[in-house]
Amino acid sequence: MAGCVFCGIVAGDVPAFRVADEPDGVAFLDTRPVFKGHLLVVPRAHLVTLADLPSESIAGYFGLVRRLAVAVEAGLDAGGTFVAMNNKVSQSVPHLHTHVVPRTKGDGLRGFFWPRTRYADDTEARSYADRVAAALPGSA
C-alpha cells in the first residue's frame, strides 16, 4: 500500500535490518527498540489488524513469530521474550505487526506498559467474561 512504511520494507524500497524474509512474513529490527534486538514481524500483505489476517495465513504467520521468539532468546542469550501486538489503539503503523522483544531478568521492564486494575467483585468479572464470550465468532 502506498505510503505504508512496512509495505515499503517488505518491498525492499525502505531500508531495514532484516532478520527474516519468508513467504509468511518479514522480520526486522525495530528502529526504536524497547531493548536491543527488538523485532517487528509483519505479514507480506498490507493488513491493518489481526482480524484482517486470513484464516489460512494464521499458522504460517504465527509459526514465523514463534520461530523468531526462539531465535531471539537463543541468538541474544536472552532469558525470554515479550511477544505483543496492538490492534488500532496504540498501533503506531497501521500494518499488522508483532513485537518480539528480548527479556532478561532484572531488565527493568515491569509487566505491561500500562496501569493494572481490578474487578469490583466476581459478578463484575463474570459479566465481562460473558460479554466477550457472547461476541466470540462461531459461538452458539
Side-chain angles (χ1 to χ4, degrees), residues 54-71:
S55 296
E56 61 273 10
S57 300
I58 291 172
Y61 179 74
F62 282 104
L64 176 59
V65 170
R66 178 185 169 278
R67 289 179 27 242
L68 286 160
V70 171

Side-chain angles (χ1 to χ4, degrees), residues 12-132:
D13 299 331
V14 174
F17 294 98
R18 289 175 184 253
V19 173
D21 188 341
E22 300 183 2
D24 293 309
V26 175
F28 48 91
L29 292 179
D30 191 314
T31 58
R32 297 178 320 152
V34 174
F35 298 115
K36 293 176 183 176
H38 176 169
L39 302 179
L40 298 178
V41 186
V42 302
R44 299 189 78 76
H46 182 79
L47 306 168
V48 177
T49 67
L50 180 59
D52 300 324
L53 185 66
S55 296
E56 61 273 10
S57 300
I58 291 172
Y61 179 74
F62 282 104
L64 176 59
V65 170
R66 178 185 169 278
R67 289 179 27 242
L68 286 160
V70 171
V72 163
E73 193 172 326
L76 301 177
D77 220 14
T81 57
F82 176 70
V83 177
M85 175 186 299
N86 290 307
N87 282 284
K88 298 178 187 173
V89 176
S90 294
Q91 191 177 12
S92 57
V93 175
H95 184 124
L96 175 64
H97 57 282
T98 305
H99 297 261
V100 179
V101 181
R103 296 294 311 273
T104 57
K105 187 173 176 71
D107 61 18
L109 192 61
R110 301 236 187 267
F112 295 100
F113 303 118
W114 53 85
R116 304 298 287 269
T117 189
R118 293 185 183 276
Y119 294 101
D121 52 32
D122 288 352
T123 302
E124 183 185 33
R126 173 50 49 204
S127 74
Y128 276 81
D130 289 347
R131 287 164 49 195
V132 173

